[in-house]
Amino acid sequence: MTQNSFHRLGSLLSGITAGILACAAPVLALDVRVNPSNPQLGDTISVFIEVDNPGDRPQVTMGDRAFPAFPLRSNLYRAFIPTTPLDRPGSLNIKVSGDGETRNLALALRDRSFNTQRIRVSGGGNGATQIELDRVAAFKALVTPEKFWNGPLLKPTSGGVSTVFGVLRYYNGVFANDYYHRGVDYAAGTGTPVIAPAAGRIALVGRESQGFKIHGNTVGIDHGQGVLSIMLHLSRIDVREGEMVRAGQRIGAVGSTGSATGPHLHWGLYVDGVAIDPVPWRFEGLE
């Protein structure tokens, strides 16, 4: 056998050996990706998990909190992780388990600058009633398996933004440590229509006359899978609890009921019970 023949034989054997080793190498069944890959405070983080076994619902945790994963198709699941202005920027450690495997992801959460307001208040007796606290808390805890929204959310009323998400406040010179503005305020005249930003089920109707002293006339929409909208200070309510609404359907009108200095709509968007920035949901959509 010539020297060239030996070289060709050696190359052939090397290729066969590499192929055998590649086949023998373990194939990772759990494929995980996140979006956005560089989130900032207030963002909703989507965790997409692809599994080989469609019946094996993955588990997603961060610290001591678990986040439900819902199927997008037979072998693809998604979980939402909400972040807020009160979170500490830095490394997030996300644990994903499924298909008999566990992945540990380290994701950097970027800092973000939020506006600060200084407000002076006087007098007392303006606290929320127990009935509104209990009913709103029960609404924010909803996590239903169905997904009703589709694509970017709609602007819920006309008029300009008067207060953005995440504003921090000093009250009478004292910084409110656990406070941030949990939504977006739109300045509009009394009676201006308010629409559903996405399809869903009306899961909360509360009225000032029923004890909603701070929230005023209120409508809460369950968009499914832990995504919720709450509309405050309405002058009128045009829907009933349990009713299904479509995106763009009128649900009420702008007002100044409850604790409001003038007519405006407060729209809060919640994910897994946490108020998050609605802006990415409106202009980009979280699909």
Side-chain angles (χ1 to χ4, degrees), residues 75-100:
N75 66 332
L76 180 65
Y77 291 81
R78 175 182 54 198
F80 287 130
I81 297 179
T83 71
T84 80
L86 303 181
D87 291 335
R88 185 186 300 275
S91 181
L92 301 178
N93 297 306
I94 303 169
K95 181 179 179 181
V96 180
S97 301
D99 272 349

Side-chain angles (χ1 to χ4, degrees), residues 46-88:
S46 297
V47 182
F48 296 93
I49 311 108
E50 193 165 359
V51 296
D52 278 349
N53 181 6
D56 184 13
R57 184 184 294 266
Q59 305 295 315
V60 179
T61 58
M62 189 173 70
D64 58 358
R65 182 167 184 192
F67 301 92
F70 296 98
L72 297 180
R73 58 175 187 261
S74 63
N75 66 332
L76 180 65
Y77 291 81
R78 175 182 54 198
F80 287 130
I81 297 179
T83 71
T84 80
L86 303 181
D87 291 335
R88 185 186 300 275

Side-chain angles (χ1 to χ4, degrees), residues 2 92 173 181 259:
T2 67
L92 301 178
H181 189 239
S259 181

Side-chain angles (χ1 to χ4, degrees), residues 111-130:
D111 202 356
R112 177 179 171 186
S113 177
F114 293 95
N115 295 334
T116 301
Q117 293 178 337
R118 295 179 180 271
I119 295 179
R120 299 204 65 83
V121 294
S122 60
N126 293 320
T129 65
Q130 195 60 48

Side-chain angles (χ1 to χ4, degrees), residues 1-12:
M1 183 177 291
T2 67
Q3 186 175 5
N4 287 339
S5 298
F6 274 116
H7 282 306
R8 287 197 298 271
L9 179 59
S11 298
L12 178 61

